[in-house]
Amino acid sequence: MSYLISVIVPCYNQANFLDETLNSILNQSYTNWECIIVNDGSPDDTENVAKKWTNKDHRFQYISKENGGLSSARNSGLEVAKGDFIQFLDSDDLLSSDKFQKSIDAIEKDGADVVITNFIRFKKNLNQLKKAFCKLEEQTFTYESILLQWDRRFSIPIHCGLFKRETIGSVRFNEKLKAKEDWFFWIQTFKSNPKVSFLNENMAQYRMHNKGMTKNNALMEENLKKAYLLIYNSLDDDHKEKFVERLMHELEHSKQEFKKFKDNVFYRKIFYKFKKLF
C-alpha cells in the first residue's frame, strides 16, 4: 500500500534555510508525499522562496497566515493535511533521503502508529556534525517516560517522528506555549499508547544556530511555569501525583544548583519561578 505522507513545514523568518530544508524533502526516495509550507507572517523572503518550490513541484503547497507562533503554524498545516501519516519539519532542519522509505517499511512490517528515528546535530552544513544531545532508546517511548523523564533523561526532536494521522486524532499543539509545545504534544499523543517502531539511525538532522528557540533564554523562562501547569492540569489523579514527585525532585536539585549559580541572573529567575509552583 502506498501511504501518503503530509510534511508540515512552519516558517517564520528563516528563508535563508528553507531551500535546504525543502530540498531534503524533494530528495526522499519515497515519493508519495505532500509538503505544506506554512508562512507564519514572515517579514523576510519566505513567500518568494516557498512559491519557487510550489512552481517546481506540485507536491509542495503554500499557506500564508498572520503570525501566531510555531504551534499555530503547525496546527494550520494539520487542518489541510490529507496524508495517512504526518511528518513535522521545522524550516531550518533536515531529513535523510531514506527517512520516509525506511519509516514506511517499519509501518508495513510492525503495524506501527508512530515511527521514531534517531538524530544528529549539525552547524552550517552536514560536514559539521555534532553528536545528539541525548541518547534515544526504544524503552523510553512510553507515556510515562515522556511525562516523567523528558528533559531529565531524553527529549525527542519533533522531526524524528512520523505519526499516523489517526493516532494524532484531535491532538493539536497548544498555542499558549511558545516553548515546550512539542513536549505537550508528545504527551497528549502518547496517552492512547500507540505502537512505536524505533529506527536507531540518524535520519533527522537538527540544526544548531544562534537564532534557534532554545537559545532564547527569555522565551524559555517565560514558558517554563506555563508548560508545567498545562501538563499538570491535563493529567489524571495518579499521574498528577507522579508529576508532582518529578517537580519536587527537580526543585530539590535546583536548590542545590542554585547555591552554585546564585549569582547567575537567568538561573535565579528560573529558580524562583519554579519555586512558585508550590
Side-chain angles (χ1 to χ4, degrees), residues 31 35 50 54 56 75 77 88 99 110 114 159 161 164 182 190 194 206 219 234 237 243 247 254 256-257 260 271:
T31 59
C35 177
T54 60
K56 178 185 294 190
N75 289 342
F88 299 104
K99 184 177 191 294
D110 303 329
V114 181
H159 61 311
K164 182 183 285 187
D182 53 342
F190 269 66
Y206 182 98
L219 180 70
S234 74
D237 289 342
F243 192 60
L247 296 184
S254 68
Q256 296 171 9
E257 293 298 310
K260 299 179 186 178
F271 173 78

mmCIF file of all heavy atoms in Angstrom, residues 31 35 50 54 56 75 77 88 99 110 114 159 161 164 182 190 194 206 219 234 237 243 247 254 256-257 260 271:
data_model
loop_
_atom_site.group_PDB
_atom_site.id
_atom_site.type_symbol
_atom_site.label_atom_id
_atom_site.label_comp_id
_atom_site.label_asym_id
_atom_site.label_seq_id
_atom_site.Cartn_x
_atom_site.Cartn_y
_atom_site.Cartn_z
ATOM 1 N N THR A 31 8.259 8.630 -2.675
ATOM 2 C CA THR A 31 7.785 9.790 -3.441
ATOM 3 C C THR A 31 6.330 10.179 -3.188
ATOM 4 O O THR A 31 5.881 11.219 -3.688
ATOM 5 C CB THR A 31 7.966 9.534 -4.943
ATOM 6 O OG1 THR A 31 7.237 8.358 -5.323
ATOM 7 C CG2 THR A 31 9.443 9.352 -5.285
ATOM 8 N N CYS A 35 3.916 18.356 0.729
ATOM 9 C CA CYS A 35 4.617 19.217 1.676
ATOM 10 C C CYS A 35 3.855 20.537 1.795
ATOM 11 O O CYS A 35 3.681 21.249 0.802
ATOM 12 C CB CYS A 35 6.055 19.473 1.229
ATOM 13 S SG CYS A 35 6.940 20.611 2.314
ATOM 14 N N ALA A 50 9.155 29.999 -1.009
ATOM 15 C CA ALA A 50 8.128 28.947 -0.995
ATOM 16 C C ALA A 50 7.452 28.810 -2.354
ATOM 17 O O ALA A 50 7.244 27.690 -2.850
ATOM 18 C CB ALA A 50 7.096 29.250 0.087
ATOM 19 N N THR A 54 6.693 25.652 -5.006
ATOM 20 C CA THR A 54 5.375 25.206 -5.485
ATOM 21 C C THR A 54 5.334 25.195 -7.009
ATOM 22 O O THR A 54 4.620 24.382 -7.604
ATOM 23 C CB THR A 54 4.243 26.091 -4.934
ATOM 24 O OG1 THR A 54 4.436 27.446 -5.360
ATOM 25 C CG2 THR A 54 4.193 26.031 -3.408
ATOM 26 N N LYS A 56 7.974 24.537 -8.807
ATOM 27 C CA LYS A 56 8.899 23.473 -9.211
ATOM 28 C C LYS A 56 8.242 22.096 -9.173
ATOM 29 O O LYS A 56 8.487 21.245 -10.037
ATOM 30 C CB LYS A 56 10.128 23.492 -8.302
ATOM 31 C CG LYS A 56 11.150 22.393 -8.605
ATOM 32 C CD LYS A 56 12.291 22.394 -7.578
ATOM 33 C CE LYS A 56 13.118 23.661 -7.676
ATOM 34 N NZ LYS A 56 14.368 23.550 -6.850
ATOM 35 N N ASN A 75 -0.462 23.754 13.520
ATOM 36 C CA ASN A 75 -1.890 23.413 13.539
ATOM 37 C C ASN A 75 -2.572 23.776 12.230
ATOM 38 O O ASN A 75 -3.444 23.046 11.753
ATOM 39 C CB ASN A 75 -2.579 24.118 14.706
ATOM 40 C CG ASN A 75 -2.194 23.537 16.060
ATOM 41 O OD1 ASN A 75 -1.683 22.421 16.140
ATOM 42 N ND2 ASN A 75 -2.416 24.293 17.116
ATOM 43 N N GLY A 77 -1.202 23.718 9.322
ATOM 44 C CA GLY A 77 -0.830 22.659 8.395
ATOM 45 C C GLY A 77 -1.631 21.391 8.620
ATOM 46 O O GLY A 77 -2.059 20.731 7.660
ATOM 47 N N PHE A 88 6.419 16.324 10.825
ATOM 48 C CA PHE A 88 6.706 17.729 11.121
ATOM 49 C C PHE A 88 8.179 17.993 10.837
ATOM 50 O O PHE A 88 9.045 17.171 11.154
ATOM 51 C CB PHE A 88 6.392 18.048 12.586
ATOM 52 C CG PHE A 88 4.950 17.835 12.957
ATOM 53 C CD1 PHE A 88 4.561 16.725 13.691
ATOM 54 C CD2 PHE A 88 3.974 18.748 12.557
ATOM 55 C CE1 PHE A 88 3.231 16.517 14.033
ATOM 56 C CE2 PHE A 88 2.632 18.544 12.891
ATOM 57 C CZ PHE A 88 2.269 17.427 13.624
ATOM 58 N N LYS A 99 14.527 8.545 4.995
ATOM 59 C CA LYS A 99 13.705 8.519 6.209
ATOM 60 C C LYS A 99 12.284 8.043 5.931
ATOM 61 O O LYS A 99 11.740 7.206 6.663
ATOM 62 C CB LYS A 99 13.654 9.889 6.884
ATOM 63 C CG LYS A 99 12.881 9.876 8.217
ATOM 64 C CD LYS A 99 12.900 11.223 8.904
ATOM 65 C CE LYS A 99 12.372 11.153 10.332
ATOM 66 N NZ LYS A 99 10.949 10.823 10.443
ATOM 67 N N ASP A 110 5.671 -3.767 11.098
ATOM 68 C CA ASP A 110 5.288 -3.840 12.509
ATOM 69 C C ASP A 110 3.887 -3.328 12.811
ATOM 70 O O ASP A 110 3.410 -3.466 13.946
ATOM 71 C CB ASP A 110 6.285 -3.026 13.363
ATOM 72 C CG ASP A 110 7.718 -3.496 13.190
ATOM 73 O OD1 ASP A 110 7.919 -4.694 12.942
ATOM 74 O OD2 ASP A 110 8.632 -2.652 13.303
ATOM 75 N N VAL A 114 3.467 5.097 15.295
ATOM 76 C CA VAL A 114 4.493 6.143 15.310
ATOM 77 C C VAL A 114 5.835 5.492 15.023
ATOM 78 O O VAL A 114 6.171 4.467 15.632
ATOM 79 C CB VAL A 114 4.559 6.870 16.675
ATOM 80 C CG1 VAL A 114 5.621 7.973 16.645
ATOM 81 C CG2 VAL A 114 3.207 7.446 17.064
ATOM 82 N N HIS A 159 10.955 16.257 14.494
ATOM 83 C CA HIS A 159 11.082 15.682 13.150
ATOM 84 C C HIS A 159 11.661 14.268 13.163
ATOM 85 O O HIS A 159 11.778 13.644 12.109
ATOM 86 C CB HIS A 159 11.879 16.605 12.215
ATOM 87 C CG HIS A 159 13.294 16.907 12.609
ATOM 88 N ND1 HIS A 159 13.649 17.319 13.860
ATOM 89 C CD2 HIS A 159 14.441 16.899 11.880
ATOM 90 C CE1 HIS A 159 14.948 17.542 13.905
ATOM 91 N NE2 HIS A 159 15.448 17.285 12.720
ATOM 92 N N GLY A 161 9.930 11.966 14.494
ATOM 93 C CA GLY A 161 8.716 11.161 14.458
ATOM 94 C C GLY A 161 7.984 11.195 13.125
ATOM 95 O O GLY A 161 7.986 12.204 12.419
ATOM 96 N N LYS A 164 1.022 8.397 12.599
ATOM 97 C CA LYS A 164 -0.215 8.038 11.910
ATOM 98 C C LYS A 164 -1.250 9.120 12.203
ATOM 99 O O LYS A 164 -1.411 9.552 13.343
ATOM 100 C CB LYS A 164 -0.727 6.675 12.383
ATOM 101 C CG LYS A 164 -1.994 6.210 11.674
ATOM 102 C CD LYS A 164 -2.508 4.885 12.211
ATOM 103 C CE LYS A 164 -1.666 3.728 11.723
ATOM 104 N NZ LYS A 164 -2.289 2.409 12.125
ATOM 105 N N ASP A 182 6.250 21.081 21.989
ATOM 106 C CA ASP A 182 6.440 19.742 21.442
ATOM 107 C C ASP A 182 6.316 18.683 22.533
ATOM 108 O O ASP A 182 5.738 17.600 22.311
ATOM 109 C CB ASP A 182 7.791 19.627 20.725
ATOM 110 C CG ASP A 182 8.966 20.057 21.589
ATOM 111 O OD1 ASP A 182 8.756 20.750 22.607
ATOM 112 O OD2 ASP A 182 10.108 19.701 21.246
ATOM 113 N N PHE A 190 0.709 10.366 23.149
ATOM 114 C CA PHE A 190 1.035 9.056 23.722
ATOM 115 C C PHE A 190 0.053 8.601 24.795
ATOM 116 O O PHE A 190 0.182 7.494 25.319
ATOM 117 C CB PHE A 190 2.477 9.052 24.235
ATOM 118 C CG PHE A 190 3.460 8.594 23.194
ATOM 119 C CD1 PHE A 190 3.688 9.343 22.053
ATOM 120 C CD2 PHE A 190 4.114 7.385 23.331
ATOM 121 C CE1 PHE A 190 4.570 8.920 21.081
ATOM 122 C CE2 PHE A 190 5.005 6.941 22.354
ATOM 123 C CZ PHE A 190 5.229 7.705 21.227
ATOM 124 N N PRO A 194 0.227 4.444 21.689
ATOM 125 C CA PRO A 194 0.435 3.990 20.307
ATOM 126 C C PRO A 194 1.553 2.959 20.199
ATOM 127 O O PRO A 194 2.466 2.910 21.035
ATOM 128 C CB PRO A 194 0.833 5.291 19.584
ATOM 129 C CG PRO A 194 1.461 6.134 20.660
ATOM 130 C CD PRO A 194 0.665 5.838 21.892
ATOM 131 N N TYR A 206 19.307 18.003 13.094
ATOM 132 C CA TYR A 206 18.867 19.133 13.923
ATOM 133 C C TYR A 206 19.907 20.251 13.806
ATOM 134 O O TYR A 206 21.061 20.081 14.189
ATOM 135 C CB TYR A 206 18.749 18.641 15.363
ATOM 136 C CG TYR A 206 18.266 19.643 16.384
ATOM 137 C CD1 TYR A 206 16.937 19.672 16.786
ATOM 138 C CD2 TYR A 206 19.142 20.541 16.976
ATOM 139 C CE1 TYR A 206 16.489 20.575 17.746
ATOM 140 C CE2 TYR A 206 18.713 21.447 17.933
ATOM 141 C CZ TYR A 206 17.397 21.463 18.312
ATOM 142 O OH TYR A 206 16.967 22.353 19.261
ATOM 143 N N LEU A 219 12.525 33.588 26.336
ATOM 144 C CA LEU A 219 11.378 32.805 25.872
ATOM 145 C C LEU A 219 11.228 31.522 26.679
ATOM 146 O O LEU A 219 10.119 31.159 27.099
ATOM 147 C CB LEU A 219 11.535 32.481 24.384
ATOM 148 C CG LEU A 219 10.413 31.665 23.748
ATOM 149 C CD1 LEU A 219 9.151 32.495 23.634
ATOM 150 C CD2 LEU A 219 10.835 31.160 22.373
ATOM 151 N N SER A 234 -3.700 18.544 32.689
ATOM 152 C CA SER A 234 -4.194 17.582 31.696
ATOM 153 C C SER A 234 -4.163 16.143 32.197
ATOM 154 O O SER A 234 -4.630 15.239 31.503
ATOM 155 C CB SER A 234 -3.348 17.684 30.413
ATOM 156 O OG SER A 234 -2.062 17.106 30.602
ATOM 157 N N ASP A 237 -5.548 11.764 38.215
ATOM 158 C CA ASP A 237 -5.053 11.944 39.582
ATOM 159 C C ASP A 237 -3.765 11.174 39.845
ATOM 160 O O ASP A 237 -2.843 11.681 40.498
ATOM 161 C CB ASP A 237 -6.121 11.528 40.595
ATOM 162 C CG ASP A 237 -7.294 12.504 40.643
ATOM 163 O OD1 ASP A 237 -7.118 13.642 40.165
ATOM 164 O OD2 ASP A 237 -8.362 12.122 41.145
ATOM 165 N N PHE A 243 3.693 13.312 38.640
ATOM 166 C CA PHE A 243 4.285 14.512 38.048
ATOM 167 C C PHE A 243 4.762 15.466 39.146
ATOM 168 O O PHE A 243 5.820 16.079 39.032
ATOM 169 C CB PHE A 243 3.263 15.204 37.143
ATOM 170 C CG PHE A 243 3.846 16.275 36.266
ATOM 171 C CD1 PHE A 243 4.834 15.981 35.347
ATOM 172 C CD2 PHE A 243 3.392 17.585 36.356
ATOM 173 C CE1 PHE A 243 5.372 16.966 34.529
ATOM 174 C CE2 PHE A 243 3.923 18.575 35.549
ATOM 175 C CZ PHE A 243 4.909 18.267 34.632
ATOM 176 N N LEU A 247 8.453 17.082 39.881
ATOM 177 C CA LEU A 247 8.723 18.500 40.106
ATOM 178 C C LEU A 247 9.427 18.730 41.441
ATOM 179 O O LEU A 247 10.323 19.576 41.531
ATOM 180 C CB LEU A 247 7.422 19.299 40.052
ATOM 181 C CG LEU A 247 6.682 19.308 38.716
ATOM 182 C CD1 LEU A 247 5.463 20.218 38.789
ATOM 183 C CD2 LEU A 247 7.582 19.733 37.578
ATOM 184 N N SER A 254 17.327 21.829 41.936
ATOM 185 C CA SER A 254 17.569 23.231 41.587
ATOM 186 C C SER A 254 18.047 24.032 42.790
ATOM 187 O O SER A 254 18.821 24.970 42.659
ATOM 188 C CB SER A 254 16.311 23.869 40.985
ATOM 189 O OG SER A 254 15.298 24.004 41.942
ATOM 190 N N GLN A 256 20.011 22.858 45.094
ATOM 191 C CA GLN A 256 21.429 22.558 45.197
ATOM 192 C C GLN A 256 22.232 23.307 44.134
ATOM 193 O O GLN A 256 23.293 23.866 44.413
ATOM 194 C CB GLN A 256 21.639 21.047 45.067
ATOM 195 C CG GLN A 256 20.998 20.245 46.192
ATOM 196 C CD GLN A 256 21.024 18.750 45.916
ATOM 197 O OE1 GLN A 256 21.650 18.295 44.977
ATOM 198 N NE2 GLN A 256 20.314 17.989 46.748
ATOM 199 N N GLU A 257 21.680 23.319 42.914
ATOM 200 C CA GLU A 257 22.368 24.023 41.834
ATOM 201 C C GLU A 257 22.345 25.526 42.063
ATOM 202 O O GLU A 257 23.283 26.242 41.720
ATOM 203 C CB GLU A 257 21.718 23.687 40.488
ATOM 204 C CG GLU A 257 21.907 22.250 40.071
ATOM 205 C CD GLU A 257 23.372 21.893 39.868
ATOM 206 O OE1 GLU A 257 24.068 22.637 39.150
ATOM 207 O OE2 GLU A 257 23.827 20.905 40.462
ATOM 208 N N LYS A 260 25.203 26.935 43.767
ATOM 209 C CA LYS A 260 26.400 27.054 42.925
ATOM 210 C C LYS A 260 26.314 28.264 42.004
ATOM 211 O O LYS A 260 27.300 28.930 41.720
ATOM 212 C CB LYS A 260 26.587 25.800 42.065
ATOM 213 C CG LYS A 260 26.788 24.519 42.838
ATOM 214 C CD LYS A 260 26.938 23.372 41.832
ATOM 215 C CE LYS A 260 26.991 22.022 42.530
ATOM 216 N NZ LYS A 260 27.086 20.919 41.540
ATOM 217 N N PHE A 271 14.797 29.660 39.009
ATOM 218 C CA PHE A 271 14.603 29.014 40.306
ATOM 219 C C PHE A 271 13.370 29.560 41.014
ATOM 220 O O PHE A 271 12.529 28.807 41.492
ATOM 221 C CB PHE A 271 15.849 29.212 41.174
ATOM 222 C CG PHE A 271 15.666 28.710 42.580
ATOM 223 C CD1 PHE A 271 15.749 27.360 42.861
ATOM 224 C CD2 PHE A 271 15.403 29.583 43.612
ATOM 225 C CE1 PHE A 271 15.578 26.880 44.153
ATOM 226 C CE2 PHE A 271 15.223 29.129 44.908
ATOM 227 C CZ PHE A 271 15.313 27.768 45.182
#
